[in-house]
Amino acid sequence: MLCVRALRTFSSLGAPSSSRALTYVFRTTTATNSVARPYATHIAPASKDQPKAASLSVDSNVFKTYKPVSPGIRHLRRPINDHIYQGKPVRLLTACLRKHGGRNSHGRITVRFRGGGHKRRVRLIDFLRTEPGEYDVIRIEYDPGRSAHIALIKARDAAAEGKAKWKYILATEGMRPGDVVQSYRMGMPETTGILRARTVRPGNVLPIRFIPTGTVIHCVALSPTGKALLVRSAGSFAQVVHHDESGRYSHVRLQSGEIRKVLQDCCATIGRVSNLNWKGRKIGKAGRNRWLGWRPRVRGVAMNANDHPHGGGRGKSKSNKHPVSVWGWATKGKRTRKPGPKGPKNSNKMVIRERPRGKEKRTGGS
C-alpha cells in the first residue's frame, strides 16, 4: 500500500517527476524490508572499531535473541554455542537420575521450591584424571546437570577399553574437537626447559608445584589423592600467586578473591572453565524455570504465621520485624559464618586472606 500511494502521489505531479517517483518508491520499499528480521538473531558488535573483550572478561556480544512472536521469548537471551554437539551422550558414561522433589528419606522437604523438571541423565565426569597418556577431544557437549560444557575424550592407547578409553571432562574455554589433553597426575616427564613448558597447556592436569605463578587454573583438588573440588562452574577460574619456599604449600587466589593455601602435591587443570557467557543468559519466562526443576518461590509475607517469621497479620505487614530467613537467621548482611583470619581461632588455617566483603568489596579491594 505504501508503494501504491507513492506512485499515485508522484504521478499526479506530471511526467518530469516520474524518475523521482521511481527513486522514492525504491527507497521506501528498501527501508520497509530492512525492518524485517529472522526469527533468531545473533547480537553483533555495534562497530568494528570497538576493542575485543579481554581474555578473562565476559563478551556481551555473543548472545542469541529471538523475534518476539510470543511473550515467552521476547526477553529470552542465550549464549551462542555453535560448536556444541547436537546428538545424545555416550550411554556408558551416564547414569539415571531419580527425582525426589526436595524430600529426604523420611518424606520431609529439606530443599524448598524444588520439583518437576525435564527428565535427565547424569553425566559421569572424571574429576580424578589418574590415567596418563594423550587423549583426543572428540566433541564438546551440553550437560544439563551443570553450567559448564563437557568434553568427550578418547584415549590413544589401543589396549584401553570401556571407561578407560572414553571419558567426560570439564571443557576449558576455547577447547574444540581435535585438541589433545594429557594428565600428569601420576608423574611429570624427566625433561626440563622447553619440553617441560609444553605440559602447561589448557586441559592438562598437573601438580600445583609444577604450575608457574600467574597461571589460570580450574578444577583444584584439596587432597593429593582426591578429586577436583574447587572452581568447576561456568566461566570460573583461579590463579596461582605464590609457591612457598618450604615446598609444602602454594597460594591460590579463588574466584571470590579469597587466597588460600593448597598442598603443592594437589592437582589442578590448566585454563578457564568453558561457557563463560552463561551468567549473561535470560530465562525469558517462568515456565522455563519449571523445566529446570524449580517451583515458584513464595515470599515470606505471603505465608501464614506458622510458615514464616514474616507471615500472618492483616494485609501487607511485617510487624516491624527485622528481615530474617524462614529459620530465623538475619538476612540483610549479618555474618553467620566466620572462617579464616577474622573468624574464631584455628577455624580455617588454610585461608590466608578472606574474600572482600561490604565496603572492601565496593571499593574494589581484594
Side-chain angles (χ1 to χ4, degrees):
M1 290 296 297
L2 187 61
C3 298
V4 174
R5 289 179 181 177
L7 281 172
R8 289 177 179 176
T9 303
F10 283 91
S11 61
S12 62
L13 299 179
S17 304
S18 59
S19 60
R20 288 185 297 172
L22 294 177
T23 305
Y24 178 83
V25 171
F26 176 76
R27 289 178 179 175
T28 307
T29 306
T30 305
T32 305
N33 293 339
S34 63
V35 176
R37 63 168 181 162
Y39 177 74
T41 304
H42 292 186
I43 300 178
S47 174
K48 294 183 179 180
D49 299 332
Q50 292 181 354
K52 294 184 178 180
S55 58
L56 297 180
S57 61
V58 177
D59 189 357
S60 61
N61 298 319
V62 288
F63 294 96
K64 180 189 293 185
T65 59
Y66 296 85
K67 186 176 181 180
V69 296
S70 67
I73 62 174
R74 177 176 295 277
H75 302 290
L76 178 61
R77 190 171 75 167
R78 292 170 170 168
I80 300 173
N81 295 310
D82 296 332
H83 60 283
I84 297 298
Y85 177 68
Q86 300 295 328
K88 294 183 178 181
V90 178
R91 186 81 176 184
L92 175 67
L93 302 177
T94 61
C96 61
L97 175 63
R98 304 300 184 190
K99 296 182 181 295
H100 303 287
R103 273 84 172 171
N104 60 8
S105 59
H106 297 286
R108 297 188 178 94
I109 295 178
T110 56
V111 182
R112 301 189 301 164
F113 317 127
R114 296 306 304 263
H118 200 280
K119 189 180 295 184
R120 302 178 182 179
R121 288 190 68 84
V122 178
R123 274 65 169 175
L124 304 178
I125 311 297
D126 182 16
F127 287 113
L128 280 175
R129 305 279 298 274
T130 55
E131 288 79 4
E134 295 182 339
Y135 281 78
D136 294 316
V137 177
I138 304 301
R139 64 198 185 204
I140 309 297
E141 296 186 10
Y142 165 78
D143 187 354
R146 66 188 68 251
S147 57
H149 296 151
I150 59 176
L152 177 66
I153 58 176
K154 179 183 178 182
R156 289 188 175 181
D157 186 6
E161 296 180 355
K163 293 185 178 180
K165 183 177 182 179
W166 300 94
K167 293 181 181 296
Y168 275 135
I169 63 172
L170 287 190
T172 59
E173 184 63 26
M175 181 179 288
R176 294 294 183 269
D179 294 348
V180 180
V181 296
Q182 195 168 355
S183 174
Y184 299 96
R185 190 183 190 107
M186 307 307 294
M188 291 288 291
E190 299 294 337
T191 57
T192 58
I194 298 178
L195 296 179
R196 175 66 64 83
R198 291 180 181 178
T199 61
V200 186
R201 290 183 175 180
N204 287 358
V205 176
L206 286 82
I208 295 180
R209 68 170 66 252
F210 298 112
I211 300 178
T213 57
T215 305
V216 172
I217 59 176
H218 68 280
C219 285
V220 182
L222 295 180
S223 171
T225 58
K227 66 176 184 179
L229 297 176
L230 305 180
V231 196
R232 304 192 326 193
S233 61
S236 59
F237 65 94
Q239 195 172 18
V240 180
V241 295
H242 178 69
H243 294 295
D244 283 347
E245 297 179 356
S246 61
R248 179 170 174 80
Y249 290 102
S250 294
H251 298 178
V252 177
R253 180 187 290 113
L254 302 180
Q255 183 78 37
S256 63
E258 175 182 299
I259 299 179
R260 65 175 296 135
K261 294 190 292 185
V262 181
L263 289 171
Q264 292 188 1
D265 293 332
C266 296
C267 290
T269 307
I270 306 298
R272 182 179 186 175
V273 186
S274 58
N275 200 16
L276 62 117
N277 292 298
W278 179 82
K279 69 177 184 180
R281 79 201 188 289
K282 291 184 179 179
I283 296 296
K285 63 178 183 179
R288 189 166 283 107
N289 249 357
R290 299 303 298 264
W291 300 343
L292 299 176
W294 289 101
R295 300 184 66 241
R297 182 171 291 272
V298 183
R299 295 169 296 120
V301 293
M303 299 183 186
N304 293 325
N306 63 334
D307 294 326
H308 199 281
H310 295 171
R314 296 184 179 181
K316 296 182 179 180
S317 172
K318 291 188 299 184
S319 301
N320 293 326
K321 296 178 182 178
H322 288 289
V324 293
S325 68
V326 66
W327 302 280
W329 304 337
T331 183
K332 292 292 185 180
K334 177 68 175 179
R335 286 192 64 171
T336 59
R337 178 174 175 268
K338 298 181 180 179
K342 297 181 181 179
K345 187 176 181 181
N346 299 330
S347 60
N348 194 340
K349 297 180 181 180
M350 296 294 104
V351 177
I352 299 175
R353 181 185 301 174
E354 291 190 25
R355 64 179 177 89
R357 293 184 176 92
K359 182 177 179 181
E360 186 181 8
K361 184 177 182 179
R362 292 192 298 270
T363 56
S366 60

